[in-house]
Amino acid sequence: MTVSMPGLTEANKAKVVEALAKYNGIQKDSYVWDMGAKTLTLKYDSMQIAQANIRYAIDEKGVKVTFPEKTDARAGH
């Protein structure tokens, strides 16, 4: 999954890593940062953690996350 964070800086990458450290199901060695696009791409196990939980964990650490817009009547993101 790719998480878009419009305010992502080198300084707050540590906050993101800290936010996700306590969760099982996220492959911590899979992080790919794109500072130009202000994104983090990572691998996770959807049977252990949901995409929304990953986004909320980052957002709660003070790093604003852009949530995907709902484009149809299905549940989820």
Side-chain angles (χ1 to χ4, degrees):
M1 76 174 280
T2 299
V3 181
S4 179
M5 299 168 274
L8 181 64
T9 65
E10 286 290 335
N12 61 23
K13 280 172 49 174
K15 288 182 183 180
V16 174
V17 170
E18 180 185 344
L20 301 179
K22 64 183 176 182
Y23 292 99
N24 292 325
I26 300 173
Q27 289 184 355
K28 308 320 191 262
D29 62 348
S30 71
Y31 296 174
V32 177
W33 300 93
D34 184 336
M35 298 307 291
K38 307 287 187 188
T39 62
L40 166 62
T41 301
L42 58 90
K43 294 179 182 178
Y44 73 103
D45 180 348
S46 63
M47 297 303 289
Q48 294 187 39
I49 188 166
Q51 284 189 14
N53 294 83
I54 294 170
R55 289 185 175 97
Y56 282 119
I58 296 168
D59 198 63
E60 287 176 350
K61 279 290 187 181
V63 181
K64 180 70 179 147
V65 174
T66 302
F67 286 77
E69 291 184 29
K70 190 172 174 107
T71 57
D72 59 26
R74 293 182 301 143
H77 295 278

